[in-house]
Amino acid sequence: MKKFTLSIACCLMIFGMTAQAQNDWMKTDRETAAKKLKVKDPKDTIPKLWDKGLNLNININQGSLSNWAAGGDNFSFSLGATVFAWANYKKGRREWSNVADLAYGYISTTSLGSRKSDDRIDLTTKYGYDIGRNWYVSGLVNLRTQFTDGYLYTDTSHTFSSTFFSPAYILVSPGFDWRPNKEFSLFLSPITARFVTVFNKYLSDQGAYGVDTGKTVKYEMGAYLSANYIKTIGKNIAYKGRLDLFSDYRHNPQNIDVYFTNALELKVNKYISAVLTLDMIYDDDVKVFKNKETGVMGPRLQVKQVIGVGFAAKF
């Protein structure tokens, strides 16, 4: 009987210890889970209103030759940099996007001297209100100009052709924005005001960029279209393209101005990448290009292509 009673007592004691251990484990587990929930809840429930970022690319190349039988410049140096920054706000049906697209390139060689190889200031701000089915009622303002003086080069001479705000293109455009997904957007405006400025006196006196001789601002009214496409093609390849079309109702509306820019980025690793850009411009009012057969000055398709490999960073 004593043995039986002792066995029952041992079993009750083991059962009690096991139950207490289980209770302690469950309590600890609940406290851990509660702490995690306490940390995550506030951040998870606050909507993110701003999406901001910056992509920076810097490319540097240098070369020198000495007694090199194959020939070439004794010295060459080039520097190129691009900056693409954005700050987008979204709350409810309202959206406000801001983009800065900047580029500058410089090259120096023994035979050609120093000159710039790239130069761009492109700022865009756009406000939209969602009216459903991926359509927004929007208003857009865009500024496009350059940082420093530019020249047209021949084999024996160079001619001053542009500088900061000479020219500058300023668009003020109400319209409709169609955004079927995050990669593509199409902005349409039947009535857009465009201002072309030439503040440099020398260029103004030449009547450059379609501005009347001696004037500094030209006003145009017309239709405007802007298509933007950003696509991550692969793990390390990204494409960014933009096509702008503008038709001036008051002067040769059939001659549509074109601004088409493309950038393809190939990442080697976190800090090294290659960037290929291809820009094409057609402006009926830029008549500084001579026909080689007739000698007549007139507008031409302007093409700029740049390839660079160097440092890349995202913030």
Side-chain angles (χ1 to χ4, degrees), residues 18-244:
T18 304
Q20 183 62 39
Q22 188 175 12
N23 289 336
D24 292 344
W25 175 79
M26 292 178 65
K27 183 180 179 182
T28 303
D29 193 54
R30 283 197 301 269
E31 290 176 353
T32 303
K35 288 180 180 177
K36 290 181 178 179
L37 290 173
K38 188 176 181 180
V39 171
K40 287 184 176 179
D41 274 346
K43 292 184 179 178
D44 290 343
T45 55
I46 296 175
K48 186 179 180 182
L49 300 180
W50 283 96
D51 175 27
K52 295 178 283 186
L54 185 149
N55 291 346
L56 170 66
N57 287 276
I58 299 176
N59 308 306
I60 300 175
N61 297 287
Q62 185 272 326
S64 62
L65 302 175
S66 178
N67 301 324
W68 194 255
D73 268 312
N74 291 335
F75 176 81
S76 65
F77 173 82
S78 66
L79 171 66
T82 62
V83 174
F84 185 79
W86 67 92
N88 301 323
Y89 176 86
K90 180 177 175 60
K91 184 176 183 180
R93 292 188 171 186
R94 295 173 175 81
E95 291 190 14
W96 180 31
S97 62
N98 304 276
V99 173
D101 190 1
L102 313 175
Y104 196 82
Y106 171 86
I107 184 170
S108 178
T109 65
T110 306
S111 60
L112 299 176
S114 301
R115 59 186 65 178
K116 67 179 181 180
S117 58
D118 198 1
D119 194 351
R120 180 175 66 244
I121 299 174
D122 196 324
L123 307 174
T124 302
T125 181
K126 182 169 62 178
Y127 181 84
Y129 183 82
D130 187 358
I131 57 175
R133 297 181 181 273
N134 302 318
W135 284 93
Y136 293 76
V137 176
S138 301
L140 176 150
V141 177
N142 172 255
L143 165 66
R144 181 160 53 90
T145 184
Q146 57 191 9
F147 290 101
T148 62
D149 296 352
Y151 298 86
L152 293 174
Y153 293 91
T154 66
D155 294 338
T156 57
S157 64
H158 62 275
T159 305
F160 176 59
S161 63
S162 63
T163 187
F164 185 62
F165 267 78
S166 297
Y169 299 90
I170 303 168
L171 280 166
V172 179
S173 180
F176 296 93
D177 202 16
W178 181 55
R179 277 176 277 170
N181 50 56
K182 292 183 178 180
E183 299 170 343
F184 180 77
S185 70
L186 177 65
F187 181 85
L188 302 168
S189 173
I191 301 177
T192 291
R194 187 170 84 159
F195 303 88
V196 182
T197 69
V198 178
F199 290 134
N200 180 270
K201 188 175 186 311
Y202 171 80
L203 295 173
S204 175
D205 290 342
Q206 306 296 314
Y209 300 97
V211 176
D212 292 340
T213 303
K215 302 292 184 180
T216 56
V217 179
K218 178 185 179 184
Y219 169 71
E220 298 174 333
M221 178 65 74
Y224 175 66
L225 176 153
S226 179
N228 290 266
Y229 185 60
I230 299 177
K231 176 71 174 179
T232 301
I233 300 173
K235 183 179 179 181
N236 298 315
I237 303 175
Y239 168 80
K240 176 169 63 71
R242 171 182 159 194
L243 172 65
D244 287 5

